[in-house]
Amino acid sequence: MKLVARYTFILAAALAIALSGLAVYRVDQDRAHFEADMRADHLVVGRILQAGVADLWVDVAGGKLDRAIAARQTIGLLHRANENAGMVHFEWAPDPAAREAQGIEGRDFVSRFPVRAGAAVVGTIIAREPLVAVDRMVHADIMVSVIGIGLIVVIGLVASGVLGRWLVGVPIRRLIEQARRIGRRDFSGAPPTPRADELGELAIEMHAMSEALSTALAVIAAETDARVRAVDQLRHADRLSTVGKLAAGIAHELGTPLSIVGGHAQMIAAREVTGDATLTSATAIDREVTRMGKIVRQLLDFARRKGPEGTTCDPADVTRRCLSLLAPMIDLARVRTALEVEATAPVMIDEDALQQVVTNLVVNAVQAMTTGGTLAVTISRSRSAPPDSTASPTPCVCIAIRDTGPGIPDEVRAHLFEPFFTTKAVGDGTGLGLAVVYGIVVDHRGWITVDTSAHGTTFSVYLQEAT
Amino acid sequence: MLQPLIALAEDDPALRALLATALETVGYRVVTVATGELLVATVRTLLAAGDPLRLIITDVRMPTLGGLEAARILRETGHATPLLFMTAYGDAWTRSQAADLGALLLDKPLSLTVLRHAVTLALAI
Ligand SMILES: Nc1ncnc2c1ncn2[C@@H]1O[C@H](COP(=O)(O)OP(=O)(O)O)[C@@H](O)[C@H]1O
Ligand SMILES: [Mg+2]
């Protein structure tokens, strides 16, 4: 409103000055007119009287009339003229004035008309009209002007105030409110009513800006939301996939042997198998029970993978023992073994757990070399950190198990550590080996790296040295 | 009259043998295969030879080509033989896939009695 008030005030002042100037000019004009009118009126009546009085005095000059009577008749004539002449007052001055003259004398407008008889001036008719009327008129004029100006200024002030409020104040207030709303990230403003002025344009621009901002923010919010949801989903999917896969794997692994055991038992019970066939069924049942026992044991390994706290063991010892335990199987697969202990140190893991890790990796390596090959196990010390981590390197012992098998294709590699993921035939693999290895190693704050090519694969297990 | 012919696909040899025996005992002829690929090939050969194959029983989860995929290949190449699936892990997705193929789905562990009933039912349809 400050802006509108200032505008209105300036406008009113300008209006008042202009109107006052106009009023002064008009008063001057009116006065001039009035004087001109008086002058003309005096002249008209004065001339007539002049002629009439001159007639009287011609007779005096001719001696037909007495001077005193002429004077009395002149005064009477003027008297009668006075009765019809309004504000003008005529009088007779016997002293002879030379010239006709008109002008203001004191507070009157005075015209003098000399009356001649023959060559001599016999007297002067003086027409006297008080200027009071002019003054009164000018006064009235000024009053009218002042009141008019006052009225116009007041009306102007009110009108411009109201109009300003309506045309400028309200829209600006609305724009300010809208700007504040946008500042508060509230984009609820309704579209502006169209107006054909700059403020209207501004309002439309501002509304467009607000809408654009709102869409932009909505897009950002939606993206953030989507990202959060995606991450959530991933996390959930991850959890589901581990538990779900484990459940599916257990179901699948046990479903088949249970079907076999149940089927044979049913057939025996229904006497569908008899004699020697019963023995075959019993053998089949025994085999399946052994298989289920193995799965259950591995599941237990998987679940109970953390040994007692604080125990340590020497990786070289454990590896040596594993290799000697597995020697028959390794030999059968026509695989040569080479163990190299570059350096060793106690690591923070219990013997049973480490033995399981090494056994599973060695079995996999041997199974990968279907036509024989070389199994090289190397034990070394280094300062290392997990790949893709920002952790600072710590003293570690690394057990690297290298085979000369066909390597691991990418699609298998992606699922390597998933429970029950196997590419091996039924009975050869359960798909739990690497899942168990991974669980144990990670539980002991170690990590595993896999290097694979068409010429072989190396699984390296890193474990922290005991301090 | 010729006994109804059934094709059986199961990757576990022990279960495959048991199921074949169990079905043969009750009077069916059974052709067994160990993989999905072999199932597809066998079914095609049988039908081409004009053998009246009455039913396909297949495990869902088999290495490389599963039972669902094998069945879909057969359906797409115009074989309308009734299907019976066996699975140890019949989640909602597997069930809906089986239903889409108009097939029965049996859960493992299997009961031979249930299997025989299901076979009778499938052959009756
Ligand atoms: N040294 C290796 N060379 C090639 N493939 C391997 C090797 N170790 C593991 N794999 C692959 O990883 C899969 C999962 O291994 P694992 O978890 O031990 O289960 P399983 O040995 O019972 O199959 C194996 O089936 C095999 O395909
Ligand atoms: Mg293994």
Side-chain angles (χ1 to χ4, degrees), chain A residues 306 348 386 394 396 438-447 462-465 467:
Chain A
K306 188 146 187 172
M348 297 284 289
T394 48
C396 291
Y438 182 83
I440 291 173
V441 172
V442 169
D443 277 356
H444 291 83
R445 292 195 288 128
W447 65 95
Y462 290 83
L463 292 164
Q464 316 246 0
E465 280 184 16
T467 42

Side-chain angles (χ1 to χ4, degrees), chain B residues 93-116:
Chain B
W93 186 82
T94 313
R95 281 177 202 288
S96 76
Q97 293 295 300
D100 282 352
L101 288 161
L104 288 175
L105 185 122
L106 296 183
D107 284 307
K108 286 180 183 176
L110 276 176
S111 144
L112 289 185
T113 321
V114 170
L115 175 72
R116 284 167 180 163

Side-chain angles (χ1 to χ4, degrees), chain A residues 244 247-249 251-264 266-267 270 272-273 284 287-288 291 420 426, chain B residues 10-16 18-19 21-22 25-26 59-63 87-89 107-114 116:
Chain A
H252 192 263
E253 289 307 306
L254 296 183
T256 301
L258 280 173
S259 302
I260 296 168
V261 170
H264 280 290
Q266 278 176 35
M267 295 226 291
E272 282 173 25
V273 284
R287 201 175 49 233
E288 295 309 317
R291 178 172 153 193
F420 296 110
V426 177
Chain B
E10 163 63 55
D11 62 331
D12 189 296
L15 185 59
R16 192 165 63 233
L18 170 74
L19 295 181
T21 314
T25 331
V26 288
D59 191 10
V60 167
R61 187 158 129 174
M62 288 184 289
T87 184
Y89 191 66
D107 284 307
K108 286 180 183 176
L110 276 176
S111 144
L112 289 185
T113 321
V114 170
R116 284 167 180 163

Side-chain angles (χ1 to χ4, degrees), chain A residues 360 363-364 367 424 433-434:
Chain A
N360 286 354
V363 167
N364 278 351
Q367 284 178 334
K424 290 167 192 170
L434 287 179

